[in-house]
C-alpha cells in the first residue's frame, strides 16, 4: 500500500510534537512516505516535558539525533524525596549509563528537542510536514483514511495515527472513550532560565511538605523547573499569577535579579488511558492514548515507546511482509506498559500530594525508617508479556542492552532494526541459518552480527542472562535469546511464522481482508 494506489502517503500523522515527529522519522527511515499535519503554524516555544530515561534516549538515538541530543541534555543521577524537615524519604538513582547505553535519567528542554527532530525530518525526503492544518473530519475507507480541515483540504493515506495530545481530535472523531482512574491535582508549573550556573544537589527533588508540596528539578542545562501544588484555600487565578510565582521562588534565592521567568501555568494532571488504541486503520499514540501524573517522568517517554513499537509494524504491513493482524499487537504490547507507568506515577503522586499534616507525619515516619545510604535502583519498566515474542524464551520481551564498539554506541555502528547478535565466535552467523531464511530476514531489515570482542557491558549481559544469541526487535525488546546456533536459527524460523501467519478472519472493526 503506497501513494501509487491513489494515496498521498503511506501514513498520515496528526500532531508534530516529539511523538508525531519521531514516529514520522522512524517510518521515513524505513522507506515509508509520511504526511504530518499540525494545527499550529509554528512549534510551541515553551518547555513542557523535561525528562527521558535510558530507553527513550536509545529511541531518539535511532531517529538519527543521538550526538546532538546528548549535547543538549543534563544527566540526573539522583532523584530524592524529602519531608518538610529535610529528611530523606526516598532516594532513587543510578550512577553511569543505564541498560540502553544512555543515562538512567536525562533532563532537557522540549523546544530544543523538537528543533532537532524538525531538522532531522527535513533531511528525509519522504516526510511532508504541513503546519496550520487543523483536522476537522476523518473518514475511513476500504483502502485508507481521508482527513480534512475546515478549508476543505484533504489528505489520503493508508493509515492514520493520532499523536495530537490529551484533547485529541482523532480520538474524538473515531469515538474512542477513555478510562479515568480518578487521580488529579492542580499544580503551578514554573520554568526558569538562570543568569548564572548554579549547582543543585540533588539535581531532582520532591519536597513532601504538607504546607506546600513542591517539585524542584532540572529543565535541561541552564534551566530549572519548580512545581507547586494548589492548596484547598487557593483559587486557580490566585496561583496562576506571575507575582505569586516569584513569591514561591524567593525561598530558593531565585528572583527577577538573577533569573528569567520563561513560563508559569497552572495545569491539572490526570491518570487515564484510551480504551482502544486502534480503530481499523486509525491508531492513537502519546497523550492521545494515555496521560499520567508527572512524578515518574514517563509521560513523553510512554509516547516515544508507542512510536517505536508502531513504526516497524506499520512498515511491514504496508510492504505486505506481515499480516494486518500484526497491528493488533500494538495495543496488546503497549497498553499494559502504559498502565504500569500510570500506576507508578500515581503511587509516587500519593506520596507527595498529601496536604494533611497528621497524614504526612505518619508517612514520614514509615518512609524515613527505610532510607539507607544506598540508592534505590530506578524501578524497571515492565517488559512485553504478550505479543510479538517467543514465549518459551526466558528473556523474551525484555529490553536488550546497548554496549559500545570501539567507543561508539552499538546502534551507531550496526544500526537499529531486527538484529540477531551473538558472542559465539566459534561459528559464522551465516552457518547457523539457511539461505532462504537469511534472505527473508534481510527483507525485513534484519542483520546478524557477531561480536568477537564484546565490551564489558555487553559481555556481562550475555553471561547474566545465560545466552550467547539474542534476537532484538527494532524497538529494542527481545523476541528471544538462545544458547546455541541451532536454537538461534529456530528463533528466526519462529519469527518468520509469527509475522507472516494468516489468522482466522474475525469481525474486528476495520480488519483488512
Amino acid at each position: 500500500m503506497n501513494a501509487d494506489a491513489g494515496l498521498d502517503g503511506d501514513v498520515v500523522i496528526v500532531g508534530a510534537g516529539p511523538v508525531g515527529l519521531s514516529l514520522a522519522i522512524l517510518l521515513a527511515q524505513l522507506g515509508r512516505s509520511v504526511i504530518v499535519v499540525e494545527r499550529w503554524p509554528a512549534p510551541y516555544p515553551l518547555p513542557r516535558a523535561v525528562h527521558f530515561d535510558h530507553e527513550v534516549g536509545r529511541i531518539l538515538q535511532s531517529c538519527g539525533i543521538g550526538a546532538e541530543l546528548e549535547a543538549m541534555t543534563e544527566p540526573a543521577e539522583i532523584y530524592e524525596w524529602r519531608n518538610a524537615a529535610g529528611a530523606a524519604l526516598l532516594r532513587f538513582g543510578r550512577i553511569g549509563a543505564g541498560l540502553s547505553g544512555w543515562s538512567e535519567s536525562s533532563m532537557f528542554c522540549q523546544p530544543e528537542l523538537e528543533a532537532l527532530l524538525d531538522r532531522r525530518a527535513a533531511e528525509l525526503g519522504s516526510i511532508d510536514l504541513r503546519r496550520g492544518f487543523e483536522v476537522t473530519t476523518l473518514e475511513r475507507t476500504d483502502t485508507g483514511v481521508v482527513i480534512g480541515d475546515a478549508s476543505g483540504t484533504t489528505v489520503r493515506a493508508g493509515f492514520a495515527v493520532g499523536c495530537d495530545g490529551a484533547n485529541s481530535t482523532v480520538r474524538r472523531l473515531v469515538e474512542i472513550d477513555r478510562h479515568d482512574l480518578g487521580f488529579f491535582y492542580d499544580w503551578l508549573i514554573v520554568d526558569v532560565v538562570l543568569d548564572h550556573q548554579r549547582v543543585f544537589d540533588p539535581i531532582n527533588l520532591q519536597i513532601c511538605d504538607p504546607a506546600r508540596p513542591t517539585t524542584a528539578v532540572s529543565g535541561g542545562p541552564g534551566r530549572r523547573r519548580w512545581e507547586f501544588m494548589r492548596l484547598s484555600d487557593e483559587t486557580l487565578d490566585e496561583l496562576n499569577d506571575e507575582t505569586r510565582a516569584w513569591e514561591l521562588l524567593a525561598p530558593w534565592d531565585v528572583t527577577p535579579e538573577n533569573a528569567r521567568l520563561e513560563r508559569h501555568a497552572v495545569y491539572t494532571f490526570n491518570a487515564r488511558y484510551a480504551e482502544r488504541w486502534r480503530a481499523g486503520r486509525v491508531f492513537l499514540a502519546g497523550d492521545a492514548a494515555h496521560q499520567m501524573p508527572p512524578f515518574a517522568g514517563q509521560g513523553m517517554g510512554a509516547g516515544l515507546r508507542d512510536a517505536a513499537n508502531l513504526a516497524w509494524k506499520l512498515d511491514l504491513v504496508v510492504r505486505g511482509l506481515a499480516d494486518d493482524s500484526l497491528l493488533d499487537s500494538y495495543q496488546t504490547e503497549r497498553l499494559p506498559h502504559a498502565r504500569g507507568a500510570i500506576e507508578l506515577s500515581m503511587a509516587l503522586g500519593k506520596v507527595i500530594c498529601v496536604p494533611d499534616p497528621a497524614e504526612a507525619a505518619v508517612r514520614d515516619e514509615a518512609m524515613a525508617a527505610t532510607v539507607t545510604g544506598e540508592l534505590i535502583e530506578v524501578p524497571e519498566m515492565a517488559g512485553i508479556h504478550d505479543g510479538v515474542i517467543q514465549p518459551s524464551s526466558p528473556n523474551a520481551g525484555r529490553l536488550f542492552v546497548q554496549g559500545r564498539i570501539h567507543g561508539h554506541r552499538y546502534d551507531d555502528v550496526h544500526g537499529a532494526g531486527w538484529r540477531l547478535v551473538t558472542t559465539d565466535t566459534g561459528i559464522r552467523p551465516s552457518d547457523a541459518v539457511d539461505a532462504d531464511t537469511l534472505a527473508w530476514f534481510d527483507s525485513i531489515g534484519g542483520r546478524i552480527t557477531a561480536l568477537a570482542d564484546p565490551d564489558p557491558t555487553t559481555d556481562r549481559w550475555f553471561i547474566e542472562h545465560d545466552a550467547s544469541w539474542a534476537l532484538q526487535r527494532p524497538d529494542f525488546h527481545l523476541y528471544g535469546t538462545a544458547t546455541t546456533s541451532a536454537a538461534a536459527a529456530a528463533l528466526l524460523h519462529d519469527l518468520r511464522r509469527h509475522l507472516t501467519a494468516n489468522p482466522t478472519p474475525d469481525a474486528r472493526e476495520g480488519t483488512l481482508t
Side-chain angles (χ1 to χ4, degrees):
M1 181 179 303
N2 51 47
D4 293 335
L7 303 173
D8 299 311
D10 294 320
V11 181
V12 57
I13 296 169
V14 181
V19 176
L21 288 174
S22 296
L23 177 59
I25 290 166
L26 293 172
L27 285 165
Q29 289 176 163
L30 292 169
R32 307 283 59 79
S33 59
V34 185
I35 301 167
V36 182
V37 297
E38 165 59 51
R39 65 178 297 192
W40 301 110
Y44 188 70
L46 300 178
R48 286 172 291 178
V50 294
H51 168 269
F52 63 82
D53 63 20
H54 64 94
E55 180 187 354
V56 172
R58 191 177 186 184
I59 292 170
L60 291 169
Q61 175 194 349
S62 73
C63 291
I65 62 170
E68 299 94 332
L69 179 67
E70 192 166 25
M72 53 157 275
T73 59
E74 183 172 32
E77 295 179 327
I78 307 296
Y79 185 22
E80 189 164 307
W81 297 56
R82 295 176 181 169
N83 67 8
L89 304 179
L90 283 170
R91 292 187 75 241
F92 290 115
R94 178 190 177 96
I95 308 302
L99 178 69
S100 303
W102 286 77
S103 294
E104 194 74 48
S105 292
S106 294
M107 312 304 292
F108 74 104
C109 174
Q110 183 170 332
E112 293 178 358
L113 171 62
E114 291 191 21
L116 287 182
L117 292 169
D118 259 333
R119 288 197 294 270
R120 177 59 180 154
E123 293 171 358
L124 299 166
S126 56
I127 296 178
D128 178 4
L129 175 56
R130 305 182 187 181
R131 296 190 180 274
F133 186 115
E134 184 173 357
V135 174
T136 56
T137 63
L138 188 155
E139 177 189 359
R140 287 170 282 170
T141 72
D142 291 339
T143 58
V145 178
V146 183
I147 64 170
D149 69 1
S151 72
T153 302
T154 59
V155 174
R156 300 173 180 271
F159 295 93
V161 186
C163 303
D164 51 342
N167 298 316
S168 170
T169 298
V170 172
R171 188 184 61 237
R172 174 178 59 80
L173 290 174
V174 295
E175 300 180 328
I176 294 178
D177 294 328
R178 285 182 291 182
H179 181 72
D180 196 319
L181 297 173
F183 187 70
F184 51 89
Y185 287 89
D186 300 321
W187 284 66
L188 170 67
I189 181 170
V190 182
D191 287 297
V192 171
V193 179
L194 302 169
D195 289 346
H196 304 288
Q197 184 74 22
R198 289 171 58 177
V199 175
F200 293 86
D201 185 22
I203 188 171
N204 288 345
L205 178 65
Q206 297 285 353
I207 302 174
C208 305
D209 181 355
R212 175 74 73 180
T214 299
T215 298
V217 298
S218 168
R223 286 180 162 86
R224 291 292 293 177
R225 167 171 290 180
W226 279 267
E227 298 183 26
F228 305 96
M229 193 174 99
R230 183 177 70 85
L231 304 179
S232 59
D233 60 350
E234 290 178 310
T235 67
L236 291 176
D237 288 339
E238 288 171 342
L239 190 59
N240 191 20
D241 178 79
E242 182 174 339
T243 301
R244 186 64 179 134
W246 284 119
E247 290 173 353
L248 291 168
L249 290 171
W252 300 84
D253 189 27
V254 176
T255 70
E257 286 70 43
N258 61 25
R260 174 170 60 86
L261 193 65
E262 190 171 30
R263 177 192 181 211
H264 71 92
V266 174
Y267 76 104
T268 303
F269 67 68
N270 289 280
R272 53 197 180 191
Y273 56 87
E275 295 181 350
R276 292 182 294 128
W277 292 25
R278 179 184 189 185
R281 294 176 174 269
V282 180
F283 299 83
L284 302 178
D287 286 355
H290 43 70
Q291 290 177 266
M292 62 193 73
F295 305 108
Q298 289 295 328
M300 184 192 77
L304 288 170
R305 288 176 171 91
D306 298 342
N309 186 289
L310 186 56
W312 64 268
K313 294 174 181 177
L314 282 170
D315 171 60
L316 292 181
V317 172
V318 167
R319 290 199 287 148
L321 296 176
D323 186 83
D324 172 79
S325 62
L326 173 65
L327 297 172
D328 290 332
S329 70
Y330 169 58
Q331 176 173 329
T332 300
E333 294 180 351
R334 286 295 307 133
L335 178 54
H337 189 285
R339 266 200 310 248
I342 294 170
E343 290 163 2
L344 173 61
S345 302
M346 288 175 58
L348 292 173
K350 289 174 182 177
V351 172
I352 189 172
C353 298
V354 179
D356 180 73
E359 183 182 350
V362 173
R363 172 203 64 199
D364 294 352
E365 182 178 5
M367 296 186 67
T370 66
V371 176
T372 67
E374 299 295 322
L375 288 174
I376 300 173
E377 284 283 333
V378 177
E380 184 177 345
M381 301 301 292
I384 295 170
H385 301 291
D386 184 22
V388 187
I389 58 174
Q390 171 45 267
S392 64
S393 173
N395 299 307
R398 302 178 71 166
L399 277 177
F400 187 46
V401 69
Q402 178 177 211
R404 288 185 174 262
I405 298 175
H406 304 303
H408 301 283
R409 290 189 176 101
Y410 174 90
D411 296 347
D412 291 336
V413 177
H414 291 289
W418 287 101
R419 297 293 178 263
L420 181 58
V421 183
T422 181
T423 56
D424 184 353
T425 57
I427 183 172
R428 292 183 303 169
S430 59
D431 292 338
V433 185
D434 64 88
D436 183 59
T437 302
L438 280 176
W440 169 81
F441 194 48
D442 180 71
S443 75
I444 65 167
R447 182 185 299 173
I448 302 175
T449 58
L451 303 178
D453 185 23
D455 70 306
T457 298
T458 306
D459 191 46
R460 182 169 58 252
W461 188 95
F462 276 96
I463 293 171
E464 290 176 352
H465 292 82
D466 189 29
S468 55
W469 296 77
L471 180 51
Q472 172 195 280
R473 304 180 351 162
D475 54 14
F476 312 116
H477 288 81
L478 288 164
Y479 183 77
T481 58
T483 56
T484 67
S485 59
L491 274 180
L492 282 183
H493 287 292
D494 288 343
L495 174 64
R496 187 175 187 178
R497 286 194 296 268
H498 206 147
L499 294 180
T500 59
N502 292 312
T504 301
D506 57 33
R508 183 178 66 251
E509 179 188 1
T511 297
L512 302 180
T513 56

